[in-house]
């Protein structure tokens, strides 16, 4: 019965009438600096992980909502495996999901704070009441704080206990260990970037290389998504937009960028069936929701174009005693009583200026020629910690590359119109029963696949975030023949090339010889391109003009990408080839 469930998703209650706006969800880089909130956050995570896995509010049961094992949650309709991917409802389904997680997290934190026996007990309680689920802004820095990923130096974390004394405890942000042997194919403890599909350990070196490679394109992708996707359907999901009146052109959707992050972390995070068990899933998805909120702020009138979608019940998330959340109710984040740093203090901003204010914040965060300056801009929204030695070491090579990639060409200062060169990849979602990646190179890739993502020839990737158990997932069965698409920007690489000009005839001749692609499954197996039934790699030139409004280039008004079939034809997976 619909009225026999135990948990309504309402959002975290705001304590005290003096708060005009709920406390913001914070960047994890900021949270690790707050001794009280971070101590409470870590203890609350542990409390969730230690809860009996049969309980609906345990770490296990909350994570299982997203995928396996196949089990209903809190007497909701459906068999389980509820996640919405490859649909317009992808962003809105995850919104109440994150709010549910946040409710449970904060409830544990408040209960823990009330056990403190220190002179500043009231401060601990206030810290718990204002605690919200943090996010990892991978678009500003693809390397998370070491507390989140460093399995060597941060196996333990120092927290302040209820008696006021410091204690080292096992770090719950690195992994989740199942209480008993799982009832489905999965490791006993979650890992990231394992050396093989059977490995039970995180390969830290591979993880750093993978996140480093992610960082070479994710900032530009995020900025383009926020600025250059103008309809909800284009922004929201990974499906190919063939035939739409407003083709995406040159920008990855929010879901594609999100999938690239999932697959970069690999392990359980690389599979929708198991991703939510890894603690970094929640940091990742809160950031996805934050980017959705930013996109909505500058596209306030855009919404789903299908009543069937926006009025669909978002199982298994109860809104009240007898009904579920729908996308119409979850459309704006304020409905679930949370906010983000970028929106704090904007209550007095005139509505006519609101879009401009948020656009400038987006530009300060993600459109930059100096990565270090951008980090300072990001931290200006909420004071963050100094970059750790681990991050500096990992960032050194990234920053050199980023400064080259984002260095403006001669047209940037003169604001002349230009062409951007984009690879568009289209492929079948469930080509394999696992996620896979199409890697793009300009120049011959190294023979050793372990060197691909760190090579000078590597440009970027499109990761297909696909389910290992599609037969268990109704959404996956429905999408058995879905075609997904993603984009890789060649322009920064071409501007650094020895080409005498970027005129079309010069670029076309160069790319015909120099563009290559490789396909790699999540388990690291390399697959020949001819084995992919629907793979289509195409190169497009996109007319761009400078927008003084946003201080950046965007697709020219009324323009359409021009497809250069001749660049990739004759190659397996090339545009226009037949099988």
């Amino acid at each position: 019965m619909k009225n026999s469930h135990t948990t309504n998703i309402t959002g975290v209650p705001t304590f005290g009438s003096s708060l005009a706006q709920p406390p913001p969800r914070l960047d994890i880089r900021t949270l690790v600096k707050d001794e009280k909130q971070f101590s409470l956050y870590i203890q609350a995570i542990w409390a969730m992980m230690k809860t009996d896995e049969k309980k609906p509010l345990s770490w296990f049961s909350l994570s299982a909502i997203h995928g396996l094992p196949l089990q209903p949650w809190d007497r909701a309709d459906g068999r389980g495996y509820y996640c919405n991917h490859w649909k317009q409802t992808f962003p809105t389904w995850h919104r109440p999901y994150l709010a549910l997680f946040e409710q449970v997290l904060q409830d544990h934190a408040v209960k823990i704070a009330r056990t403190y026996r220190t002179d500043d007990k009231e401060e601990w309680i206030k810290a718990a009441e204002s605690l919200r689920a943090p996010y990892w802004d991978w678009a500003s820095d693809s390397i998370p704080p070491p507390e989140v990923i460093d399995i060597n130096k941060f196996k333990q974390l120092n927290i302040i206990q209820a008696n006021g004394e410091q204690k080292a405890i096992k770090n719950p942000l690195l992994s989740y260990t199942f209480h008993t042997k799982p009832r489905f194919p999965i490791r006993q403890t979650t890992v990231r970037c394992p050396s093989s599909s059977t490995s039970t350990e995180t390969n830290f070196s591979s993880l750093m290389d993978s996140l480093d490679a992610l960082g070479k394109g994710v900032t530009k992708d995020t900025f383009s998504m926020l600025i250059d996707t103008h309809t909800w359907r284009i922004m929201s999901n990974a499906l190919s937009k063939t035939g739409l009146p407003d083709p995406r052109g040159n920008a990855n959707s929010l879901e594609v960028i999100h999938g690239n992050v999932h697959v970069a972390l690999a392990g359980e995070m690389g599979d929708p069936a198991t991703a939510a068990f890894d603690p970094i899933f929640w940091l990742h998805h809160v950031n996805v929701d934050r980017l959705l909120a930013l996109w909505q702020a500058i596209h306030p009138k855009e919404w789903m174009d299908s009543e069937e979608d926006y009025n669909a019940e978002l199982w298994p998330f109860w809104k009240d005693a007898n009904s579920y959340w729908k996308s119409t109710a979850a459309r704006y984040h304020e409905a679930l009583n949370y906010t983000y740093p970028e929106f704090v203090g904007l209550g007095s901003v005139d509505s006519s200026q609101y879009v401009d204010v948020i656009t400038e914040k987006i530009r300060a965060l993600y459109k930059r020629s100096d990565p270090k300056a951008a980090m300072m801009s990001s931290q200006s929204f909420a004071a963050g910690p100094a970059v750790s030695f681990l991050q500096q070491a990992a960032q050194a090579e990234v920053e050199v590359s980023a400064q080259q990639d984002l260095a403006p060409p001669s047209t940037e200062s003169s604001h002349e119109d230009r062409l951007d060169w984009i690879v568009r990849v289209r492929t079948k979602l469930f080509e394999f029963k696992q996620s896979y990646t199409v890697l793009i190179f300009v120049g011959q890739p190294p023979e050793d696949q372990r060197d691909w993502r760190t090579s000078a020839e590597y440009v970027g990737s499109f990761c297909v975030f696909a389910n290992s158990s599609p037969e268990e997932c109704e959404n996956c069965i429905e999408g058995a023949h879905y075609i997904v698409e993603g984009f890789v920007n060649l322009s920064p690489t071409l501007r650094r090339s020895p080409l005498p000009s970027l005129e079309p005839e010069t670029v076309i001749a160069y790319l015909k010889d120099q563009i290559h692609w490789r396909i790699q499954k999540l388990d690291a197996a390399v697959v020949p391109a001819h084995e992919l039934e629907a793979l289509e790699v195409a190169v497009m030139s996109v007319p761009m003009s400078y927008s003084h409004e946003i201080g950046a280039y965007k697709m020219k008004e009324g323009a359409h990408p021009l497809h250069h079939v001749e660049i990739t034809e004759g190659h397996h997976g090339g545009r226009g080839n037949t099988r």
Side-chain angles (χ1 to χ4, degrees), residues 460-482:
S461 297
F462 168 43
C463 300
V464 180
F465 185 45
N467 207 315
S468 64
S469 304
E471 68 281 353
E472 302 285 1
C473 164
E474 292 181 11
N475 187 28
C476 305
I477 294 170
E478 177 186 330
H481 301 291
Y482 283 166

Side-chain angles (χ1 to χ4, degrees), residues 91-155:
T92 48
W93 182 88
H94 285 83
R95 186 158 269 175
Y97 189 25
L98 296 170
L100 169 61
F101 175 85
E102 187 170 60
Q103 278 179 225
V104 179
L105 175 80
Q106 200 255 9
D107 182 63
H108 279 294
V110 170
K111 290 175 180 175
I112 292 166
R114 288 173 179 163
T115 68
Y116 274 64
R117 304 182 300 277
T118 57
D119 293 340
D120 58 352
K121 176 178 180 176
E122 291 304 313
E123 292 182 21
W124 283 93
I125 294 174
K126 288 179 181 178
E129 290 174 347
S130 62
L131 179 66
R132 298 295 184 269
Y135 60 89
W136 160 39
D137 184 8
W138 29 257
S140 283
D141 188 350
S142 64
I143 309 295
E147 291 87 349
V148 176
I149 60 166
D150 194 336
I151 59 172
N152 299 315
K153 297 180 181 177
F154 284 87
K155 290 181 179 179

